[in-house]
Amino acid sequence: MTQTAKGLVICYWNACGLTGKMLDFRTFVDEHKPDLILLQETKLKNNTKIYLPNYALYRNDGPQIHASGGTAIFIKNNISHKEISTPNLSVISATVLSVYLVNQPPITIASVYVPCRYDPCFVNDLKHILNTNSSAILCGDFNAHHRLWNCATINDRGKDLLNLSQSSNIEIIFPPPPLDLELTLPPLSTSPSQKTLPTPIISSPSLISHLITIQSLLDLI
């Protein structure tokens, strides 16, 4: 694998079951060619094979009796990276990579799914991932609602996530209203309108600037 000197384009999407959506998913990837695709609620059986040409796949499948949960990351083969093991997570599901860019320190990038059932220990799991590196980006479905990121209501996970950001010097990044398909700093010139739930991204301070473009693909398919 080789390093890349350009910025990264990261897409994240709660697939709510990936198997029956692979055709449309591949069509999107062929058109947009993101560098990384972070998936949540893949709901894959362990023996289910999924594949994208020119991408490496890392996945952590959820419970198998009734396939649920699960996370995955597709990353282009030409981007230098390695998987980070997360055996100590007690509540959340996550797939985590360390990504290496030319003349840049490593970046931890994680696809995260926090189950709907509230357990305050999810914060400890997030801290565990954040502590793997001084530069980290966590994208996913946190099931954390707060008016500060344009939700209509506030729940306990939203309060906990806000407290984490304030106590740990991390940024929570979210799309301003109207909610757009593409979320980026600095903003892109065009952004297809999309009715999506506001989904926060956790990032180390000032990491998402000229280097990273992030696209939220909720409701894509």
Side-chain angles (χ1 to χ4, degrees):
M1 291 179 291
T2 60
Q3 293 179 326
T4 175
K6 67 176 183 177
L8 291 176
V9 175
I10 303 172
C11 296
Y12 71 102
W13 177 42
N14 184 322
C16 197
L18 185 60
T19 304
K21 302 170 183 174
M22 282 300 297
L23 180 60
D24 288 338
F25 178 57
R26 288 192 184 103
T27 299
F28 173 87
V29 173
D30 288 344
E31 180 179 352
H32 295 278
K33 297 177 173 59
D35 295 305
L36 293 99
I37 308 149
L38 281 55
L39 302 173
Q40 302 83 45
E41 284 202 279
T42 51
K43 299 184 179 180
L44 294 172
K45 290 287 191 179
N46 291 337
N47 60 356
T48 300
K49 307 296 183 183
I50 57 174
Y51 169 75
L52 289 178
N54 304 314
Y55 286 84
L57 170 64
Y58 299 87
R59 57 191 264 194
N60 287 293
D61 298 336
Q64 293 293 293
I65 296 177
H66 300 288
S68 62
T71 56
I73 296 178
F74 283 100
I75 182 169
K76 283 184 176 177
N77 288 327
N78 66 343
I79 298 175
S80 182
H81 67 277
K82 70 175 181 181
E83 186 174 16
I84 298 176
S85 178
T86 54
N88 297 322
L89 302 181
S90 61
V91 177
I92 73 174
S93 173
T95 302
V96 188
L97 300 182
S98 184
V99 176
Y100 306 93
L101 302 178
V102 174
N103 299 322
Q104 298 288 341
I107 303 171
T108 292
I109 297 179
S111 175
V112 173
Y113 175 66
V114 181
C116 292
R117 181 179 59 83
Y118 176 66
D119 185 332
C121 291
F122 88 95
V123 173
N124 295 330
D125 288 349
L126 296 180
K127 288 180 179 178
H128 180 75
I129 298 172
L130 290 167
N131 288 338
T132 62
N133 197 335
S134 60
S135 298
I137 298 173
L138 281 61
C139 298
D141 186 352
F142 297 91
N143 279 302
H145 303 162
H146 203 287
R147 292 190 179 94
L148 286 182
W149 44 88
N150 301 324
C151 296
T153 60
I154 299 174
N155 64 7
D156 288 331
R157 276 180 298 271
K159 295 175 184 176
D160 292 343
L161 194 58
L162 179 61
N163 290 337
L164 174 64
S165 72
Q166 294 172 338
S167 63
S168 302
N169 191 30
I170 61 174
E171 296 182 13
I172 297 178
I173 303 167
F174 51 92
L179 300 178
D180 292 332
L181 173 65
E182 294 179 328
L183 166 60
T184 179
L185 294 177
L188 297 178
S189 57
T190 60
S191 195
S193 178
Q194 190 84 351
K195 293 182 179 179
T196 66
L197 293 175
T199 305
I201 299 167
I202 300 175
S203 170
S204 303
S206 302
L207 182 60
I208 301 179
S209 55
H210 301 291
L211 182 65
I212 308 292
T213 297
I214 296 183
Q215 299 175 326
S216 174
L217 305 182
L218 300 176
D219 298 340
L220 169 65
I221 298 172

mmCIF file of all heavy atoms in Angstrom, residues 6-52:
data_model
loop_
_atom_site.group_PDB
_atom_site.id
_atom_site.type_symbol
_atom_site.label_atom_id
_atom_site.label_comp_id
_atom_site.label_asym_id
_atom_site.label_seq_id
_atom_site.Cartn_x
_atom_site.Cartn_y
_atom_site.Cartn_z
ATOM 1 N N LYS A 6 -2.767 13.679 -0.997
ATOM 2 C CA LYS A 6 -3.987 14.480 -1.071
ATOM 3 C C LYS A 6 -4.804 14.317 0.206
ATOM 4 O O LYS A 6 -4.488 13.527 1.081
ATOM 5 C CB LYS A 6 -4.815 14.056 -2.275
ATOM 6 C CG LYS A 6 -5.381 12.650 -2.142
ATOM 7 C CD LYS A 6 -6.267 12.301 -3.315
ATOM 8 C CE LYS A 6 -6.894 10.925 -3.126
ATOM 9 N NZ LYS A 6 -7.820 10.579 -4.201
ATOM 10 N N GLY A 7 -5.864 15.117 0.308
ATOM 11 C CA GLY A 7 -6.756 14.976 1.442
ATOM 12 C C GLY A 7 -7.610 13.729 1.322
ATOM 13 O O GLY A 7 -7.618 13.044 0.310
ATOM 14 N N LEU A 8 -8.352 13.455 2.392
ATOM 15 C CA LEU A 8 -9.214 12.282 2.433
ATOM 16 C C LEU A 8 -10.663 12.684 2.233
ATOM 17 O O LEU A 8 -11.106 13.717 2.732
ATOM 18 C CB LEU A 8 -9.090 11.575 3.781
ATOM 19 C CG LEU A 8 -7.786 10.858 4.109
ATOM 20 C CD1 LEU A 8 -7.848 10.318 5.526
ATOM 21 C CD2 LEU A 8 -7.531 9.736 3.131
ATOM 22 N N VAL A 9 -11.398 11.839 1.546
ATOM 23 C CA VAL A 9 -12.852 11.955 1.481
ATOM 24 C C VAL A 9 -13.423 10.752 2.220
ATOM 25 O O VAL A 9 -13.191 9.604 1.839
ATOM 26 C CB VAL A 9 -13.365 11.997 0.036
ATOM 27 C CG1 VAL A 9 -14.897 11.989 0.024
ATOM 28 C CG2 VAL A 9 -12.851 13.235 -0.675
ATOM 29 N N ILE A 10 -14.147 11.024 3.307
ATOM 30 C CA ILE A 10 -14.705 9.985 4.163
ATOM 31 C C ILE A 10 -16.225 10.042 4.079
ATOM 32 O O ILE A 10 -16.819 11.096 4.285
ATOM 33 C CB ILE A 10 -14.270 10.174 5.627
ATOM 34 C CG1 ILE A 10 -12.741 10.185 5.742
ATOM 35 C CG2 ILE A 10 -14.868 9.079 6.511
ATOM 36 C CD1 ILE A 10 -12.252 10.566 7.130
ATOM 37 N N CYS A 11 -16.849 8.916 3.777
ATOM 38 C CA CYS A 11 -18.307 8.815 3.804
ATOM 39 C C CYS A 11 -18.723 7.917 4.958
ATOM 40 O O CYS A 11 -18.046 6.931 5.247
ATOM 41 C CB CYS A 11 -18.839 8.215 2.504
ATOM 42 S SG CYS A 11 -18.527 9.227 1.053
ATOM 43 N N TYR A 12 -19.821 8.265 5.630
ATOM 44 C CA TYR A 12 -20.343 7.376 6.668
ATOM 45 C C TYR A 12 -21.843 7.223 6.494
ATOM 46 O O TYR A 12 -22.539 8.139 6.077
ATOM 47 C CB TYR A 12 -19.969 7.866 8.066
ATOM 48 C CG TYR A 12 -20.679 9.104 8.555
ATOM 49 C CD1 TYR A 12 -21.738 9.013 9.463
ATOM 50 C CD2 TYR A 12 -20.285 10.369 8.137
ATOM 51 C CE1 TYR A 12 -22.375 10.145 9.932
ATOM 52 C CE2 TYR A 12 -20.913 11.509 8.610
ATOM 53 C CZ TYR A 12 -21.961 11.392 9.504
ATOM 54 O OH TYR A 12 -22.606 12.521 9.946
ATOM 55 N N TRP A 13 -22.320 6.018 6.837
ATOM 56 C CA TRP A 13 -23.719 5.690 6.536
ATOM 57 C C TRP A 13 -24.214 4.601 7.470
ATOM 58 O O TRP A 13 -23.575 3.559 7.612
ATOM 59 C CB TRP A 13 -23.815 5.221 5.083
ATOM 60 C CG TRP A 13 -25.165 4.776 4.647
ATOM 61 C CD1 TRP A 13 -26.366 5.350 4.926
ATOM 62 C CD2 TRP A 13 -25.451 3.638 3.813
ATOM 63 N NE1 TRP A 13 -27.380 4.646 4.326
ATOM 64 C CE2 TRP A 13 -26.845 3.611 3.648
ATOM 65 C CE3 TRP A 13 -24.653 2.672 3.202
ATOM 66 C CZ2 TRP A 13 -27.469 2.620 2.890
ATOM 67 C CZ3 TRP A 13 -25.266 1.690 2.439
ATOM 68 C CH2 TRP A 13 -26.669 1.673 2.281
ATOM 69 N N ASN A 14 -25.350 4.832 8.101
ATOM 70 C CA ASN A 14 -26.051 3.772 8.821
ATOM 71 C C ASN A 14 -26.882 3.015 7.792
ATOM 72 O O ASN A 14 -27.922 3.484 7.343
ATOM 73 C CB ASN A 14 -26.943 4.346 9.916
ATOM 74 C CG ASN A 14 -27.606 3.262 10.751
ATOM 75 O OD1 ASN A 14 -28.011 2.226 10.237
ATOM 76 N ND2 ASN A 14 -27.729 3.490 12.043
ATOM 77 N N ALA A 15 -26.397 1.831 7.423
ATOM 78 C CA ALA A 15 -27.020 1.079 6.333
ATOM 79 C C ALA A 15 -28.318 0.412 6.749
ATOM 80 O O ALA A 15 -29.159 0.106 5.905
ATOM 81 C CB ALA A 15 -26.048 0.018 5.823
ATOM 82 N N CYS A 16 -28.490 0.156 8.052
ATOM 83 C CA CYS A 16 -29.667 -0.553 8.555
ATOM 84 C C CYS A 16 -29.892 -1.839 7.755
ATOM 85 O O CYS A 16 -30.988 -2.128 7.288
ATOM 86 C CB CYS A 16 -30.893 0.358 8.529
ATOM 87 S SG CYS A 16 -32.248 -0.239 9.568
ATOM 88 N N GLY A 17 -28.807 -2.581 7.596
ATOM 89 C CA GLY A 17 -28.842 -3.805 6.812
ATOM 90 C C GLY A 17 -28.242 -3.583 5.445
ATOM 91 O O GLY A 17 -28.813 -2.868 4.618
ATOM 92 N N LEU A 18 -27.070 -4.166 5.192
ATOM 93 C CA LEU A 18 -26.326 -3.873 3.973
ATOM 94 C C LEU A 18 -26.584 -4.864 2.847
ATOM 95 O O LEU A 18 -26.525 -4.494 1.671
ATOM 96 C CB LEU A 18 -24.822 -3.843 4.303
ATOM 97 C CG LEU A 18 -23.873 -3.445 3.180
ATOM 98 C CD1 LEU A 18 -24.173 -2.041 2.681
ATOM 99 C CD2 LEU A 18 -22.422 -3.546 3.652
ATOM 100 N N THR A 19 -26.903 -6.102 3.178
ATOM 101 C CA THR A 19 -26.895 -7.178 2.182
ATOM 102 C C THR A 19 -27.775 -6.865 0.977
ATOM 103 O O THR A 19 -27.355 -7.014 -0.172
ATOM 104 C CB THR A 19 -27.345 -8.502 2.824
ATOM 105 O OG1 THR A 19 -26.507 -8.790 3.945
ATOM 106 C CG2 THR A 19 -27.252 -9.636 1.820
ATOM 107 N N GLY A 20 -28.985 -6.410 1.198
ATOM 108 C CA GLY A 20 -29.895 -6.169 0.088
ATOM 109 C C GLY A 20 -29.695 -4.844 -0.608
ATOM 110 O O GLY A 20 -30.456 -4.515 -1.530
ATOM 111 N N LYS A 21 -28.678 -4.086 -0.209
ATOM 112 C CA LYS A 21 -28.465 -2.750 -0.763
ATOM 113 C C LYS A 21 -27.136 -2.631 -1.496
ATOM 114 O O LYS A 21 -26.716 -1.531 -1.868
ATOM 115 C CB LYS A 21 -28.539 -1.710 0.355
ATOM 116 C CG LYS A 21 -29.865 -1.741 1.112
ATOM 117 C CD LYS A 21 -29.843 -0.878 2.351
ATOM 118 C CE LYS A 21 -31.150 -0.994 3.131
ATOM 119 N NZ LYS A 21 -31.116 -0.268 4.413
ATOM 120 N N MET A 22 -26.437 -3.753 -1.688
ATOM 121 C CA MET A 22 -25.090 -3.693 -2.235
ATOM 122 C C MET A 22 -25.050 -3.154 -3.664
ATOM 123 O O MET A 22 -24.097 -2.459 -4.037
ATOM 124 C CB MET A 22 -24.427 -5.067 -2.178
ATOM 125 C CG MET A 22 -23.911 -5.456 -0.807
ATOM 126 S SD MET A 22 -22.663 -4.296 -0.167
ATOM 127 C CE MET A 22 -21.347 -4.479 -1.364
ATOM 128 N N LEU A 23 -26.054 -3.433 -4.472
ATOM 129 C CA LEU A 23 -26.029 -2.954 -5.855
ATOM 130 C C LEU A 23 -26.037 -1.432 -5.894
ATOM 131 O O LEU A 23 -25.207 -0.804 -6.575
ATOM 132 C CB LEU A 23 -27.203 -3.530 -6.638
ATOM 133 C CG LEU A 23 -27.291 -3.105 -8.112
ATOM 134 C CD1 LEU A 23 -26.040 -3.534 -8.877
ATOM 135 C CD2 LEU A 23 -28.539 -3.695 -8.768
ATOM 136 N N ASP A 24 -26.974 -0.816 -5.180
ATOM 137 C CA ASP A 24 -27.033 0.640 -5.142
ATOM 138 C C ASP A 24 -25.798 1.216 -4.451
ATOM 139 O O ASP A 24 -25.288 2.278 -4.842
ATOM 140 C CB ASP A 24 -28.291 1.107 -4.414
ATOM 141 C CG ASP A 24 -29.548 0.880 -5.232
ATOM 142 O OD1 ASP A 24 -29.434 0.770 -6.469
ATOM 143 O OD2 ASP A 24 -30.636 0.796 -4.639
ATOM 144 N N PHE A 25 -25.321 0.535 -3.422
ATOM 145 C CA PHE A 25 -24.134 0.988 -2.710
ATOM 146 C C PHE A 25 -22.925 1.007 -3.646
ATOM 147 O O PHE A 25 -22.167 1.986 -3.694
ATOM 148 C CB PHE A 25 -23.886 0.071 -1.512
ATOM 149 C CG PHE A 25 -22.659 0.392 -0.714
ATOM 150 C CD1 PHE A 25 -22.475 1.639 -0.153
ATOM 151 C CD2 PHE A 25 -21.683 -0.573 -0.519
ATOM 152 C CE1 PHE A 25 -21.337 1.934 0.593
ATOM 153 C CE2 PHE A 25 -20.555 -0.305 0.227
ATOM 154 C CZ PHE A 25 -20.380 0.951 0.780
ATOM 155 N N ARG A 26 -22.740 -0.054 -4.416
ATOM 156 C CA ARG A 26 -21.621 -0.104 -5.362
ATOM 157 C C ARG A 26 -21.749 0.994 -6.426
ATOM 158 O O ARG A 26 -20.747 1.599 -6.840
ATOM 159 C CB ARG A 26 -21.557 -1.470 -6.031
ATOM 160 C CG ARG A 26 -21.084 -2.593 -5.130
ATOM 161 C CD ARG A 26 -20.766 -3.851 -5.940
ATOM 162 N NE ARG A 26 -20.408 -4.964 -5.077
ATOM 163 C CZ ARG A 26 -21.206 -5.979 -4.781
ATOM 164 N NH1 ARG A 26 -22.439 -6.000 -5.283
ATOM 165 N NH2 ARG A 26 -20.806 -6.953 -4.005
ATOM 166 N N THR A 27 -22.971 1.265 -6.859
ATOM 167 C CA THR A 27 -23.186 2.325 -7.847
ATOM 168 C C THR A 27 -22.743 3.666 -7.297
ATOM 169 O O THR A 27 -22.074 4.455 -7.987
ATOM 170 C CB THR A 27 -24.671 2.382 -8.256
ATOM 171 O OG1 THR A 27 -25.049 1.137 -8.843
ATOM 172 C CG2 THR A 27 -24.921 3.511 -9.252
ATOM 173 N N PHE A 28 -23.094 3.931 -6.039
ATOM 174 C CA PHE A 28 -22.668 5.183 -5.414
ATOM 175 C C PHE A 28 -21.149 5.263 -5.321
ATOM 176 O O PHE A 28 -20.535 6.284 -5.644
ATOM 177 C CB PHE A 28 -23.276 5.310 -4.018
ATOM 178 C CG PHE A 28 -22.745 6.488 -3.265
ATOM 179 C CD1 PHE A 28 -23.337 7.738 -3.394
ATOM 180 C CD2 PHE A 28 -21.642 6.364 -2.436
ATOM 181 C CE1 PHE A 28 -22.822 8.842 -2.719
ATOM 182 C CE2 PHE A 28 -21.130 7.452 -1.752
ATOM 183 C CZ PHE A 28 -21.720 8.694 -1.903
ATOM 184 N N VAL A 29 -20.520 4.178 -4.872
ATOM 185 C CA VAL A 29 -19.063 4.173 -4.713
ATOM 186 C C VAL A 29 -18.374 4.355 -6.060
ATOM 187 O O VAL A 29 -17.392 5.114 -6.173
ATOM 188 C CB VAL A 29 -18.598 2.877 -4.019
ATOM 189 C CG1 VAL A 29 -17.074 2.785 -4.008
ATOM 190 C CG2 VAL A 29 -19.145 2.823 -2.596
ATOM 191 N N ASP A 30 -18.867 3.707 -7.105
ATOM 192 C CA ASP A 30 -18.280 3.848 -8.437
ATOM 193 C C ASP A 30 -18.349 5.297 -8.915
ATOM 194 O O ASP A 30 -17.440 5.785 -9.592
ATOM 195 C CB ASP A 30 -19.006 2.950 -9.437
ATOM 196 C CG ASP A 30 -18.695 1.473 -9.248
ATOM 197 O OD1 ASP A 30 -17.705 1.168 -8.563
ATOM 198 O OD2 ASP A 30 -19.459 0.631 -9.766
ATOM 199 N N GLU A 31 -19.425 5.986 -8.547
ATOM 200 C CA GLU A 31 -19.601 7.372 -9.007
ATOM 201 C C GLU A 31 -18.753 8.345 -8.204
ATOM 202 O O GLU A 31 -18.129 9.256 -8.764
ATOM 203 C CB GLU A 31 -21.073 7.762 -8.918
ATOM 204 C CG GLU A 31 -21.352 9.193 -9.372
ATOM 205 C CD GLU A 31 -22.824 9.550 -9.297
ATOM 206 O OE1 GLU A 31 -23.647 8.644 -9.032
ATOM 207 O OE2 GLU A 31 -23.153 10.741 -9.489
ATOM 208 N N HIS A 32 -18.696 8.174 -6.875
ATOM 209 C CA HIS A 32 -18.071 9.181 -6.015
ATOM 210 C C HIS A 32 -16.657 8.822 -5.571
ATOM 211 O O HIS A 32 -15.888 9.700 -5.182
ATOM 212 C CB HIS A 32 -18.954 9.431 -4.793
ATOM 213 C CG HIS A 32 -20.290 10.033 -5.143
ATOM 214 N ND1 HIS A 32 -20.472 11.379 -5.364
ATOM 215 C CD2 HIS A 32 -21.503 9.459 -5.326
ATOM 216 C CE1 HIS A 32 -21.733 11.625 -5.654
ATOM 217 N NE2 HIS A 32 -22.383 10.473 -5.649
ATOM 218 N N LYS A 33 -16.331 7.546 -5.533
ATOM 219 C CA LYS A 33 -14.981 7.068 -5.217
ATOM 220 C C LYS A 33 -14.406 7.674 -3.930
ATOM 221 O O LYS A 33 -13.309 8.228 -3.925
ATOM 222 C CB LYS A 33 -14.041 7.333 -6.389
ATOM 223 C CG LYS A 33 -14.433 6.589 -7.660
ATOM 224 C CD LYS A 33 -13.513 6.936 -8.805
ATOM 225 C CE LYS A 33 -13.804 6.064 -10.026
ATOM 226 N NZ LYS A 33 -15.204 6.216 -10.508
ATOM 227 N N PRO A 34 -15.122 7.573 -2.815
ATOM 228 C CA PRO A 34 -14.570 8.082 -1.555
ATOM 229 C C PRO A 34 -13.354 7.271 -1.128
ATOM 230 O O PRO A 34 -13.181 6.113 -1.518
ATOM 231 C CB PRO A 34 -15.729 7.895 -0.570
ATOM 232 C CG PRO A 34 -16.551 6.800 -1.159
ATOM 233 C CD PRO A 34 -16.431 6.933 -2.649
ATOM 234 N N ASP A 35 -12.496 7.883 -0.323
ATOM 235 C CA ASP A 35 -11.304 7.189 0.164
ATOM 236 C C ASP A 35 -11.650 6.166 1.236
ATOM 237 O O ASP A 35 -11.072 5.079 1.276
ATOM 238 C CB ASP A 35 -10.300 8.198 0.717
ATOM 239 C CG ASP A 35 -9.771 9.123 -0.368
ATOM 240 O OD1 ASP A 35 -9.251 8.619 -1.374
ATOM 241 O OD2 ASP A 35 -9.897 10.353 -0.213
ATOM 242 N N LEU A 36 -12.553 6.524 2.132
ATOM 243 C CA LEU A 36 -13.014 5.609 3.171
ATOM 244 C C LEU A 36 -14.526 5.660 3.244
ATOM 245 O O LEU A 36 -15.134 6.725 3.077
ATOM 246 C CB LEU A 36 -12.447 5.975 4.552
ATOM 247 C CG LEU A 36 -10.947 5.818 4.764
ATOM 248 C CD1 LEU A 36 -10.265 7.165 4.622
ATOM 249 C CD2 LEU A 36 -10.667 5.250 6.160
ATOM 250 N N ILE A 37 -15.135 4.512 3.524
ATOM 251 C CA ILE A 37 -16.576 4.418 3.734
ATOM 252 C C ILE A 37 -16.793 3.738 5.064
ATOM 253 O O ILE A 37 -16.374 2.591 5.270
ATOM 254 C CB ILE A 37 -17.253 3.616 2.618
ATOM 255 C CG1 ILE A 37 -16.853 4.165 1.239
ATOM 256 C CG2 ILE A 37 -18.767 3.647 2.781
ATOM 257 C CD1 ILE A 37 -16.816 3.141 0.163
ATOM 258 N N LEU A 38 -17.431 4.441 5.993
ATOM 259 C CA LEU A 38 -17.659 3.949 7.350
ATOM 260 C C LEU A 38 -19.124 3.564 7.474
ATOM 261 O O LEU A 38 -20.019 4.403 7.293
ATOM 262 C CB LEU A 38 -17.309 5.022 8.380
ATOM 263 C CG LEU A 38 -15.819 5.223 8.705
ATOM 264 C CD1 LEU A 38 -14.980 5.508 7.473
ATOM 265 C CD2 LEU A 38 -15.651 6.334 9.740
ATOM 266 N N LEU A 39 -19.381 2.301 7.780
ATOM 267 C CA LEU A 39 -20.738 1.766 7.802
ATOM 268 C C LEU A 39 -21.128 1.363 9.214
ATOM 269 O O LEU A 39 -20.307 0.853 9.979
ATOM 270 C CB LEU A 39 -20.838 0.553 6.887
ATOM 271 C CG LEU A 39 -20.463 0.776 5.419
ATOM 272 C CD1 LEU A 39 -20.437 -0.549 4.677
ATOM 273 C CD2 LEU A 39 -21.431 1.749 4.757
ATOM 274 N N GLN A 40 -22.406 1.581 9.534
ATOM 275 C CA GLN A 40 -22.963 1.153 10.816
ATOM 276 C C GLN A 40 -24.229 0.340 10.573
ATOM 277 O O GLN A 40 -24.868 0.464 9.535
ATOM 278 C CB GLN A 40 -23.292 2.355 11.713
ATOM 279 C CG GLN A 40 -22.106 3.258 12.016
ATOM 280 C CD GLN A 40 -21.841 4.264 10.924
ATOM 281 O OE1 GLN A 40 -22.770 4.888 10.420
ATOM 282 N NE2 GLN A 40 -20.588 4.420 10.534
ATOM 283 N N GLU A 41 -24.590 -0.464 11.574
ATOM 284 C CA GLU A 41 -25.733 -1.378 11.471
ATOM 285 C C GLU A 41 -25.693 -2.143 10.154
ATOM 286 O O GLU A 41 -26.663 -2.178 9.398
ATOM 287 C CB GLU A 41 -27.051 -0.621 11.641
ATOM 288 C CG GLU A 41 -27.354 -0.257 13.084
ATOM 289 C CD GLU A 41 -28.820 -0.013 13.345
ATOM 290 O OE1 GLU A 41 -29.302 1.100 13.044
ATOM 291 O OE2 GLU A 41 -29.482 -0.935 13.848
ATOM 292 N N THR A 42 -24.566 -2.780 9.916
ATOM 293 C CA THR A 42 -24.432 -3.593 8.711
ATOM 294 C C THR A 42 -25.332 -4.827 8.745
ATOM 295 O O THR A 42 -25.758 -5.316 7.702
ATOM 296 C CB THR A 42 -22.970 -4.037 8.547
ATOM 297 O OG1 THR A 42 -22.516 -4.631 9.771
ATOM 298 C CG2 THR A 42 -22.083 -2.849 8.205
ATOM 299 N N LYS A 43 -25.588 -5.350 9.938
ATOM 300 C CA LYS A 43 -26.483 -6.509 10.136
ATOM 301 C C LYS A 43 -26.067 -7.699 9.271
ATOM 302 O O LYS A 43 -26.904 -8.355 8.638
ATOM 303 C CB LYS A 43 -27.943 -6.117 9.864
ATOM 304 C CG LYS A 43 -28.466 -5.032 10.790
ATOM 305 C CD LYS A 43 -29.938 -4.739 10.561
ATOM 306 C CE LYS A 43 -30.449 -3.663 11.500
ATOM 307 N NZ LYS A 43 -31.880 -3.364 11.293
ATOM 308 N N LEU A 44 -24.768 -7.963 9.248
ATOM 309 C CA LEU A 44 -24.235 -9.030 8.419
ATOM 310 C C LEU A 44 -24.058 -10.314 9.224
ATOM 311 O O LEU A 44 -23.636 -10.285 10.380
ATOM 312 C CB LEU A 44 -22.878 -8.624 7.834
ATOM 313 C CG LEU A 44 -22.873 -7.476 6.834
ATOM 314 C CD1 LEU A 44 -21.438 -7.080 6.500
ATOM 315 C CD2 LEU A 44 -23.635 -7.857 5.567
ATOM 316 N N LYS A 45 -24.354 -11.439 8.614
ATOM 317 C CA LYS A 45 -23.975 -12.732 9.158
ATOM 318 C C LYS A 45 -22.468 -12.921 8.954
ATOM 319 O O LYS A 45 -21.884 -12.399 8.001
ATOM 320 C CB LYS A 45 -24.732 -13.856 8.461
ATOM 321 C CG LYS A 45 -26.213 -13.897 8.788
ATOM 322 C CD LYS A 45 -26.468 -14.415 10.200
ATOM 323 C CE LYS A 45 -27.931 -14.699 10.441
ATOM 324 N NZ LYS A 45 -28.175 -15.217 11.815
ATOM 325 N N ASN A 46 -21.855 -13.670 9.864
ATOM 326 C CA ASN A 46 -20.411 -13.857 9.781
ATOM 327 C C ASN A 46 -19.966 -14.457 8.456
ATOM 328 O O ASN A 46 -18.863 -14.180 7.966
ATOM 329 C CB ASN A 46 -19.922 -14.756 10.925
ATOM 330 C CG ASN A 46 -20.026 -14.064 12.278
ATOM 331 O OD1 ASN A 46 -20.049 -12.844 12.352
ATOM 332 N ND2 ASN A 46 -20.087 -14.854 13.339
ATOM 333 N N ASN A 47 -20.810 -15.289 7.860
ATOM 334 C CA ASN A 47 -20.427 -15.964 6.625
ATOM 335 C C ASN A 47 -20.845 -15.199 5.365
ATOM 336 O O ASN A 47 -20.673 -15.692 4.249
ATOM 337 C CB ASN A 47 -21.004 -17.381 6.575
ATOM 338 C CG ASN A 47 -22.528 -17.390 6.645
ATOM 339 O OD1 ASN A 47 -23.150 -16.344 6.798
ATOM 340 N ND2 ASN A 47 -23.127 -18.567 6.528
ATOM 341 N N THR A 48 -21.393 -13.989 5.528
ATOM 342 C CA THR A 48 -21.781 -13.177 4.379
ATOM 343 C C THR A 48 -20.567 -12.422 3.852
ATOM 344 O O THR A 48 -19.894 -11.710 4.604
ATOM 345 C CB THR A 48 -22.883 -12.172 4.763
ATOM 346 O OG1 THR A 48 -24.030 -12.880 5.241
ATOM 347 C CG2 THR A 48 -23.276 -11.327 3.556
ATOM 348 N N LYS A 49 -20.284 -12.588 2.573
ATOM 349 C CA LYS A 49 -19.146 -11.928 1.949
ATOM 350 C C LYS A 49 -19.610 -10.667 1.225
ATOM 351 O O LYS A 49 -20.596 -10.695 0.482
ATOM 352 C CB LYS A 49 -18.451 -12.860 0.947
ATOM 353 C CG LYS A 49 -18.063 -14.224 1.521
ATOM 354 C CD LYS A 49 -17.033 -14.087 2.634
ATOM 355 C CE LYS A 49 -16.594 -15.454 3.137
ATOM 356 N NZ LYS A 49 -15.631 -15.351 4.272
ATOM 357 N N ILE A 50 -18.917 -9.559 1.455
ATOM 358 C CA ILE A 50 -19.163 -8.325 0.710
ATOM 359 C C ILE A 50 -17.832 -7.843 0.154
ATOM 360 O O ILE A 50 -16.780 -8.068 0.747
ATOM 361 C CB ILE A 50 -19.841 -7.239 1.563
ATOM 362 C CG1 ILE A 50 -19.014 -6.922 2.823
ATOM 363 C CG2 ILE A 50 -21.256 -7.636 1.945
ATOM 364 C CD1 ILE A 50 -19.560 -5.756 3.624
ATOM 365 N N TYR A 51 -17.901 -7.142 -0.979
ATOM 366 C CA TYR A 51 -16.673 -6.818 -1.695
ATOM 367 C C TYR A 51 -16.868 -5.556 -2.508
ATOM 368 O O TYR A 51 -17.928 -5.333 -3.108
ATOM 369 C CB TYR A 51 -16.297 -7.989 -2.615
ATOM 370 C CG TYR A 51 -15.199 -7.693 -3.603
ATOM 371 C CD1 TYR A 51 -13.872 -7.618 -3.202
ATOM 372 C CD2 TYR A 51 -15.504 -7.483 -4.958
ATOM 373 C CE1 TYR A 51 -12.860 -7.339 -4.122
ATOM 374 C CE2 TYR A 51 -14.499 -7.206 -5.880
ATOM 375 C CZ TYR A 51 -13.179 -7.137 -5.454
ATOM 376 O OH TYR A 51 -12.193 -6.863 -6.347
ATOM 377 N N LEU A 52 -15.844 -4.691 -2.502
ATOM 378 C CA LEU A 52 -15.763 -3.562 -3.415
ATOM 379 C C LEU A 52 -14.405 -3.611 -4.109
ATOM 380 O O LEU A 52 -13.375 -3.718 -3.439
ATOM 381 C CB LEU A 52 -15.887 -2.219 -2.663
ATOM 382 C CG LEU A 52 -17.240 -1.829 -2.090
ATOM 383 C CD1 LEU A 52 -17.124 -0.508 -1.342
ATOM 384 C CD2 LEU A 52 -18.287 -1.707 -3.202
#
